Amino acid sequence: MPERDANASARIGLLTGGGDCPGLNAVIRAVVRRGLAEGYSFVGFQYGWAGVLENKAVELSSQSTVGILPRGGTILGTSRTNPYAGGKDGTAVVRQTLEQRGVDALIPIGGEDTLGVALRLREAGIPVVGVPKTIDNDLGGTDVTFGFQTAVQIVTDAIDRLHTTAESHNRVMVVEVMGRHAGWIATHAGIAGGADAILVPERPFDIEEVVAHLRRRHARGRSFSIVVVAEGAAPREGTLATRAGTETDAFGHPRLGGIGVTLEGEIERRTGFETRVTILGHVQRGGTPVAFDRVLATRFGVAAMDAVAGGRFGMMVRDRGAVLRLGERCGRWSSTESGSRFARRTDPSPRPVPASC
Ligand code: F6P
């Protein structure tokens, strides 16, 4: 890092990497507002690590963060660019850009890939504090990520709508949702929307069990069914042929999707019930964050800025609930002032932990 005048205010770099997610702007706003009050200045790298590698950035100020709290997407843009793709080592280029821009510390906001890069940079001596994000809610070290609740609400609303049309037409509706290799979105939205079957990547399904369940339901007089399937769900080995895509991103992740189409055909063929598929796709990542995600994102932003100010680098902010001994605090009245999980004064949650993903 560059030698700086001891009186000069420290400069923080921010970036958003990976898939976008409702709440990213709320983090940016929280970091900038918290830091400006403490005399820091900010630069935002554009399109994730691409902006760092290509030295493309914008100044972040109080003015440039006005009105962004409820906005979906990210004002900085994002990408799945990987400075270490194909065995390359982008550390030197990253270091050069940070020096040229006078950046003292970096706050990358991203999922396992973006934070994996952050960890490598930290190991190379670059001061970073990570902020976890993903609609998939599949990051270790934190109980919840912002964007997840918004995605769950979007899917739940869609299931509610599909119920009325399914009922009118006596159809089976298959709803394919995102989540990569985790079934969080499918499970939460499936439960909230009253789905009749929920298929997740964690438990390979047997198509015959699924159709037997639907047949039993319809034999009981039900004329329609809703099946929620996560994009990463797969049949039990040898039970059903699926088409696997070959496309991968810069981090080597396969592009998922299509299991819903397979199920649509198989359910209709095996049961004789008219079946339709809805692939919700990127609509799950779009639009304004729900209130929960705005609050969580704001807490993460404040905690990240505080970690930087405290020199606690190589950390990732998190939200982690804990099991309490009966009588310790549970069963007692809790307010925003009394140190609940959502508003600690002396022990601000989320707490920074080593960025280890
Ligand atoms: O990780 C978020 C996510 O939306 C996954 O649920 C999905 O598999 C993937 O990103 C889609 O990525 P892309 O926007 O690159 O198509």
Side-chain angles (χ1 to χ4, degrees):
M1 289 294 106
E3 285 294 312
R4 295 181 67 81
D5 173 348
N7 296 320
S9 72
R11 194 158 169 73
I12 313 298
L14 276 124
L15 66 90
T16 51
D20 72 329
C21 173
L24 286 169
N25 288 325
V27 179
I28 295 169
R29 173 180 174 273
V31 170
V32 171
R33 299 288 171 92
R34 178 73 155 204
L36 285 174
E38 306 285 334
Y40 289 85
S41 68
F42 296 89
V43 61
F45 290 101
Q46 294 172 301
Y47 300 99
W49 294 113
V52 185
L53 296 176
E54 295 161 19
N55 199 358
K56 288 198 178 126
V58 290
E59 195 67 21
L60 289 171
S61 61
S62 183
Q63 192 51 38
S64 65
T65 54
V66 165
I68 66 171
L69 176 64
R71 248 165 79 183
T74 160
I75 58 165
L76 294 178
T78 186
S79 73
R80 296 194 189 279
T81 304
N82 178 2
Y84 300 100
K88 280 191 305 237
D89 185 351
T91 310
V93 186
V94 171
R95 202 188 296 278
Q96 192 184 18
T97 301
L98 298 184
E99 282 179 5
Q100 279 174 7
R101 294 263 175 193
V103 170
D104 300 288
L106 200 54
I107 301 182
I109 310 163
E112 56 173 333
D113 299 327
T114 306
L115 298 184
V117 171
L119 180 59
R120 287 187 73 164
L121 294 174
R122 178 60 193 151
E123 284 164 358
I126 294 173
V128 293
V129 170
V131 176
K133 72 86 221 178
T134 170
I135 62 161
D136 302 336
N137 199 37
D138 62 348
L139 285 179
T142 184
D143 284 352
V144 65
T145 52
F146 61 86
F148 171 62
Q149 284 302 330
T150 304
V152 167
Q153 193 58 56
I154 291 168
V155 177
T156 304
D157 291 345
I159 295 173
D160 288 349
R161 288 176 186 279
L162 289 168
H163 257 111
T164 61
T165 169
E167 200 168 5
S168 307
H169 285 266
N170 293 355
R171 281 173 173 162
V172 175
M173 289 291 188
V174 176
V175 190
E176 182 183 304
V177 304
M178 283 186 167
R180 228 189 258 283
H181 301 295
W184 289 107
I185 296 176
T187 304
H188 279 238
I191 291 171
D196 304 296
I198 302 170
L199 310 179
V200 295
E202 293 86 341
R203 290 196 190 178
F205 63 87
D206 184 329
I207 185 68
E208 263 313 313
E209 277 175 20
V210 175
V211 298
H213 176 66
L214 298 179
R215 279 195 209 106
R216 277 195 303 274
R217 198 181 128 75
H218 288 229
R220 285 200 310 268
R222 298 287 189 209
S223 56
F224 73 95
S225 293
I226 303 281
V227 177
V228 174
V229 59
E231 61 180 359
R236 227 175 264 161
E237 217 179 317
T239 55
L240 182 66
T242 51
R243 268 172 295 159
T246 50
E247 218 177 303
T248 54
D249 66 21
F251 289 89
H253 301 297
R255 189 162 166 194
L256 298 172
I259 185 68
V261 175
T262 304
L263 281 171
E264 176 190 41
E266 286 300 321
I267 291 172
E268 184 160 301
R269 191 173 67 74
R270 291 174 193 238
T271 60
F273 304 146
E274 197 177 11
T275 306
R276 293 286 189 273
V277 63
T278 300
I279 299 173
L280 288 175
H282 290 81
V283 77
Q284 294 161 93
R285 289 211 320 238
T288 186
V290 296
F292 179 91
D293 285 335
R294 297 183 200 187
V295 174
L296 183 62
T298 300
R299 289 169 59 224
F300 276 7
V302 169
M305 190 55 236
D306 288 352
V308 168
R312 286 171 287 159
F313 298 114
M315 307 289 222
M316 179 190 88
V317 298
R318 69 171 174 180
D319 182 43
R320 176 158 270 191
V323 179
L324 289 183
R325 229 168 301 132
L326 267 172
E328 202 175 314
R329 267 198 214 152
C330 44
R332 298 201 202 151
W333 182 71
S334 160
S335 78
T336 55
E337 301 292 308
S338 59
S340 79
R341 198 176 139 221
F342 291 102
R344 289 191 184 104
R345 281 217 150 161
T346 51
D347 179 15
S349 179
R351 265 175 259 153
V353 295
S356 56
C357 21

